[in-house]
Amino acid sequence: SQPCWSEYLATRIEQNMVVSCTCPISECHAQPTAAFICSIVSSEEIIAKYEKALLRGYVECCSNLTWCTNPQGCDQILLKDGLGYGAACSKCSWISCFNCNFPEAHYPATCSHMSHMTCAKCNHGFCWRCLKPWRPTHKDYYNCSAMVSKPAWHQKRFQDYNERCIFHHRAREFAMSLRNRVSSISVMPKIRTLTFVLNACKMLEQARKVLAYSCVYSYYNQDIESMDIVEQQTESLELHTNAL
């Protein structure tokens, strides 16, 4: 009957199981069509949830589509460009990484850098996504109770890069907060001045982001010759960013 179908479909939609929904008769594997569901379910709220479920299913099935990864929330669908770093989201301006699970583009650090974690106790490297050893020679990555001696310079090097990375992330948050405060000003006599401040804040956000991930890149890069150039460029960018 229609009331039974309506209750059955509404329940499946509420449970987010409508995409794989089949006829309630166990021997029948037929799936109700969208037109049938819309004709049976009368609640506009339930229908809206059904349409969102269809959209989610479509995006997940398309290898060239993904959702914006802005941690503050964004429902924009992005088209992957196959280059690893996507264009800024047209809705929130967030830049996502299409090659790994890290929530934002992290140039110049590579996806490998963002996945490589190091135990502070035994210096074992592992992948944060699958927890498998970064080096296959390490056999006991779940038990690092045995202390492994590390040179003091290695600890100091990690602390220095980590502190710099945290500083730039916090400075980036300050620039974002400043831009939001300026944007909230409704009355401004000098519009050109306001535009300059907003543009400066956006540039600060971008520069601080690059500087933060440059710390990750520099920490894991072992090529001394290329690192001299990278460090010089990073220092120059940091000086100009601080001045701005």
Side-chain angles (χ1 to χ4, degrees):
S1 65
Q2 181 168 338
C4 293
W5 265 107
S6 179
E7 183 177 351
Y8 170 69
L9 292 173
T11 301
R12 300 288 290 192
I13 293 172
E14 288 286 357
Q15 295 176 348
N16 198 27
M17 299 172 63
V18 69
V19 176
S20 58
C21 177
T22 59
C23 176
I25 299 177
S26 58
E27 294 81 8
C28 181
H29 300 290
Q31 289 185 311
T33 64
F36 177 76
I37 293 176
C38 291
S39 66
I40 293 295
V41 179
S42 57
S43 172
E44 294 183 1
E45 182 180 353
I46 298 297
I47 290 297
K49 290 183 179 180
Y50 168 64
E51 292 175 345
K52 287 184 179 180
L54 287 182
L55 182 60
R56 272 198 311 271
Y58 177 75
V59 173
E60 291 171 1
C61 289
C62 295
S63 59
N64 65 331
L65 295 179
T66 187
W67 297 98
C68 176
T69 57
N70 191 331
Q72 296 183 355
C74 179
D75 57 0
Q76 187 77 347
I77 299 173
L78 306 179
L79 177 65
K80 297 181 181 180
D81 59 7
L83 299 177
Y85 300 100
C89 174
S90 60
K91 186 174 183 179
C92 69
S93 300
W94 187 262
I95 304 178
S96 306
C97 179
F98 295 153
N99 283 342
C100 69
N101 293 331
F102 200 74
E104 70 171 343
H106 41 72
Y107 179 84
T110 65
C111 296
S112 176
H113 291 152
M114 304 314 297
S115 298
H116 187 181
M117 304 298 289
T118 303
C119 176
K121 190 173 182 180
C122 73
N123 200 31
H124 162 57
F126 63 95
C127 174
W128 72 270
R129 285 184 288 177
C130 65
L131 297 183
K132 291 183 179 179
W134 202 257
R135 302 181 184 86
T137 54
H138 191 101
K139 299 179 180 179
D140 193 16
Y141 57 93
Y142 285 115
N143 179 20
C144 62
S145 57
M147 290 295 291
V148 178
S149 60
K150 293 184 295 183
W153 69 266
H154 183 80
Q155 293 184 352
K156 183 66 167 60
R157 181 170 179 268
F158 172 78
Q159 290 174 358
D160 289 344
Y161 279 112
N162 187 51
E163 289 175 1
R164 285 170 56 190
C165 184
I166 293 174
F167 168 79
H168 290 305
H169 275 304
R170 289 177 176 171
R172 178 188 175 191
E173 292 175 357
F174 168 79
M176 294 171 64
S177 175
L178 180 60
R179 178 163 63 90
N180 291 333
R181 292 202 303 270
V182 174
S183 299
S184 65
I185 299 176
S186 57
V187 180
M188 190 72 180
K190 298 180 180 179
I191 302 300
R192 292 182 61 186
T193 305
L194 175 61
T195 303
F196 168 77
V197 174
L198 289 174
N199 291 337
C201 290
K202 291 179 182 179
M203 189 61 63
L204 278 175
E205 292 176 37
Q206 183 178 359
R208 292 297 183 186
K209 175 182 173 182
V210 171
L211 285 169
Y213 292 124
S214 292
C215 296
V216 180
Y217 176 83
S218 299
Y219 177 73
Y220 286 111
N221 197 319
Q222 302 298 320
D223 188 346
I224 299 177
E225 292 185 3
S226 66
M227 278 311 301
D228 288 340
I229 301 175
V230 172
E231 291 289 356
Q232 290 175 7
Q233 293 177 335
T234 302
E235 182 179 356
S236 176
L237 176 60
E238 189 168 359
L239 287 173
H240 285 86
T241 302
N242 291 339
L244 178 62

